[in-house]
Amino acid sequence: MSTPGLADRGVTMTTVKPTRQDLANKVSLSGKVQLTPTFGLVAPIDGEIRYLDVKAATSTPTKPTKVANIWVNGKATPIEVPAGATFSGRLVDDRSKVTAGMPIVSAKQAGYGVVADIEGAQAYQISDKLESVQAQIKSGPGPFPCTVLGTLAALPAGTIPEPVTPTPNPSAPPTAAPPKVVGQPQQPSEPTGMRLVCVPPADVKTINGAAATVEVITARATNALVLPVEAVAGAQGKGKVDVIKADQTKETVEVTLGLSDGKVIEIKSGLTGDETVAVPGPNLPAAKNNGGGEPMPGFTK
């Protein structure tokens, strides 16, 4: 008969002690260099969107282009496409209700950008905050800082309505027909998947279609208390570890989890740092709904 919490006779347990180190949460994405990439702008607040009629640009804008307002209680918040990019589509219906973070406008960057596709499992890792973004062109320049444009969310196809032609007054005297505008008509944007679009520095040599890797750092922690991921069971901020006592019994302790680089994970609370912890971590029963994420090592389904 075995004693609860006590290792079986003759079994050697692997143990580890918490350590402290600086930690960064990194996500690596595969991408490529693309000419005139499309990106999306999101609503900064909840409200009603009212689009403006935007004339087709005849050259690369050097100033932001105002394309819409979001109205709340009689107050308008302007939506502008940044300088260096052109308006390329409305993403929702005019005068519709929008919520903060919803893609509402598509734009096209003049020149080169780096476009990296985002898988569903990566989206929630990088959607909250992008502390820094570095890119490396395969067999080319890098790593270099890359300035992110717009949102990571997938975009629907953009729409650009035809300009409204005023109805002529039949009693008014005839006038000469307005001159035709010579130039390319505005082309609405095509739908995109979830992706990150960023712009390299001007002095970086870029070639359209070249493969690239984009490294996203979403958060950093200094002098964090960490354990190997194998010693921790759980995810999404909550976990458990098996602490080995002086008499070699195990006590399962709840901990609050923080950042992870895939090798170690931050223990924000629950341990002092003096404990001895068993590896692997405790087996926990599978949750009915864990948000679709994969469990940490030591978590059993």
Side-chain angles (χ1 to χ4, degrees):
M1 183 174 179
S2 61
T3 303
L6 186 65
D8 293 335
R9 186 181 300 275
V11 173
T12 302
M13 288 186 293
T14 302
T15 61
V16 66
K17 282 187 170 291
T19 59
R20 289 193 176 274
Q21 68 176 69
D22 293 345
L23 195 61
N25 192 29
K26 299 180 182 179
V27 180
S28 184
L29 306 172
S30 297
K32 63 181 178 180
V33 177
Q34 183 175 318
L35 186 61
T36 63
T38 296
F39 62 96
L41 302 178
V42 301
I45 57 173
D46 298 353
E48 179 183 283
I49 188 165
R50 300 181 189 177
Y51 289 103
L52 306 177
D53 290 328
V54 182
K55 294 182 179 179
T58 56
S59 61
T60 301
T62 57
K63 297 180 180 180
T65 303
K66 186 176 178 180
V67 296
N69 286 308
I70 295 180
W71 287 85
V72 182
N73 298 325
K75 182 180 179 181
T77 298
I79 304 300
E80 295 181 330
V81 171
T86 56
F87 170 74
S88 61
R90 302 177 179 185
L91 301 182
V92 297
D93 292 334
D94 189 31
R95 294 181 177 267
S96 61
K97 300 294 184 182
V98 297
T99 57
M102 177 187 295
I104 54 174
V105 170
S106 62
K108 189 168 290 188
Q109 174 68 15
Y112 289 102
V114 177
V115 178
D117 293 329
I118 299 173
E119 297 177 1
Q122 297 170 317
Y124 287 96
Q125 292 178 270
I126 62 178
S127 62
D128 291 336
K129 183 180 178 182
L130 303 179
E131 184 168 295
S132 68
V133 176
Q134 298 272 327
Q136 168 76 58
I137 298 175
K138 187 176 181 180
S139 303
F144 50 80
C146 207
T147 304
V148 176
L149 297 175
T151 180
L152 308 179
L155 306 179
T159 60
I160 300 178
E162 292 290 332
V164 177
T165 303
T167 304
N169 185 353
S171 62
T175 58
K180 292 184 178 180
V181 178
V182 178
Q184 292 184 339
Q186 286 179 287
Q187 296 296 322
S189 60
E190 296 181 354
T192 71
M194 287 188 295
R195 62 185 193 168
L196 181 149
V197 179
C198 64
V199 179
D203 59 351
V204 172
K205 183 179 179 180
T206 47
I207 300 175
N208 192 37
T213 298
V214 178
E215 183 182 80
V216 180
I217 295 179
T218 60
R220 298 178 188 271
T222 303
N223 197 33
L225 187 70
V226 300
L227 280 171
V229 293
E230 295 82 4
V232 181
Q236 298 181 350
K238 296 181 179 180
K240 294 187 178 183
V241 298
D242 279 339
V243 174
I244 308 300
K245 296 183 176 182
D247 60 1
Q248 297 302 296
T249 59
K250 291 191 296 185
E251 179 186 4
T252 301
V253 175
E254 293 187 356
V255 293
T256 302
L257 306 177
L259 304 183
S260 176
D261 62 2
K263 296 180 180 179
V264 297
I265 188 166
E266 179 186 12
I267 308 299
K268 300 182 74 172
S269 66
L271 297 179
T272 64
D274 296 326
E275 297 86 354
T276 298
V277 177
V279 180
N283 289 330
L284 302 179
K288 293 182 180 179
N289 183 2
N290 67 355
E294 287 299 316
M296 299 295 295
F299 190 105
T300 58
K301 288 190 174 181

